[in-house]
Amino acid sequence: MLVDLGPIAQLRAGRLGRRLTQLFVGLVLYGASLALMVRSMLGLAPWDVLHSGLIEHIDITLGQMVVAMSLVVLVLWIPLREKPGLGTIANAIVVGFAADAVLALLDEPDAWWLRGLLLVAGVFLNGLATALYIGSQFGRGPRDGLMTGLARRTGRSLALVRTGIEITVVVIGLVLGGVAGAGTVLYALAIGPLAQLMLPGLIVQLPEMPTGTSPTTEIRSITRRAGK
């Protein structure tokens, strides 16, 4: 069961060794998955289409842009009254630096079959990484919180809000010169089912429920309205 905890409650909830390890493994793997998709040259995840477009005009690395945009998105949490957790802040920082580290180690392959393998591996790894860091019970990532916050404030389904956000960032990214392709479509179709399939087995069950906390029924209800 996922619970909605503030930063202090997250630390008091127990099983810190397991949860912190799972959190940071998940975030590093998330960054690695972005790098695999970049090196496939077959299209990026929607937000990374935007990131890749922005770095055409701003002289920083892709990973640095991921960090910068994460901080911008966190500012958007303020009017939505989303509650960041320790994992939210870690997500904003670790993913981008992990992506840059893997990009520095991984060359772009020449063979098309290798590019396809990198793409599929990147999408699968992204689903696993998402389930790992969410299951650690340290809070949602910046972009996930934007999605759930908008869904709650507007009353729209999670599916509709997510689709709207991702179409918007892809269009802006393409206008700026970002990279989209078959991988963008594959990611959009596969990431939800993959994360949903893997998450139940990776949720760290907390030994104690801190006073004043409750299961995240809000997220479950939004998900049910989306038909997921």
Side-chain angles (χ1 to χ4, degrees):
M1 178 176 62
L2 287 172
V3 292
D4 194 10
L5 306 175
I8 302 302
Q10 288 171 358
L11 292 174
R12 292 176 176 172
R15 304 191 70 179
L16 283 180
R18 158 72 188 275
R19 291 168 58 219
L20 286 170
T21 299
Q22 182 169 316
L23 170 67
F24 284 100
V25 168
L27 295 179
V28 170
L29 291 180
Y30 199 104
S33 74
L34 302 187
L36 292 179
M37 293 187 69
V38 170
R39 288 296 184 243
S40 78
M41 296 296 292
L42 294 175
L44 302 177
W47 277 96
D48 294 315
V49 176
L50 175 61
H51 300 148
S52 65
L54 287 169
I55 63 174
E56 291 293 318
H57 306 274
I58 303 173
D59 190 20
I60 59 176
T61 66
L62 179 68
Q64 290 167 349
M65 182 57 72
V66 171
V67 173
M69 284 302 300
S70 295
L71 299 177
V72 170
V73 170
L74 283 178
V75 173
L76 299 177
W77 278 35
I78 297 173
L80 297 175
R81 297 182 181 177
E82 283 290 287
K83 181 169 58 177
L86 298 177
T88 309
I89 306 303
N91 184 302
I93 297 170
V94 174
V95 170
F97 287 108
D100 274 349
V102 176
L103 285 170
L105 297 172
L106 189 63
D107 291 328
E108 178 187 322
D110 293 325
W112 279 100
W113 71 270
L114 283 175
R115 292 187 179 187
L117 183 61
L118 285 181
L119 172 62
V120 172
V123 173
F124 178 85
L125 191 61
N126 192 278
L128 173 61
T130 299
L132 281 168
Y133 85 74
I134 291 177
S136 70
Q137 308 256 34
F138 277 112
R140 298 182 287 278
R143 293 156 186 80
D144 295 326
L146 176 64
M147 176 177 59
T148 57
L150 284 171
R152 186 184 70 252
R153 297 285 283 184
T154 64
R156 303 297 183 180
S157 71
L158 184 64
L160 180 61
V161 171
R162 176 165 183 158
T163 300
I165 291 173
E166 295 192 345
I167 289 174
T168 300
V169 297
V170 166
V171 170
I172 295 173
L174 288 173
V175 170
L176 294 173
V179 180
T184 309
V185 177
L186 176 62
Y187 181 93
L189 294 175
I191 191 60
L194 282 173
Q196 183 174 339
L197 176 67
M198 298 176 186
L199 181 58
L202 292 171
I203 296 174
V204 181
Q205 300 301 329
L206 303 180
E208 297 180 4
M209 182 75 74
T211 302
T213 62
S214 60
T216 50
T217 53
E218 170 190 298
I219 297 177
R220 289 205 301 272
S221 66
I222 294 172
T223 303
R224 282 197 297 270
R225 292 200 304 272
K228 294 184 179 180

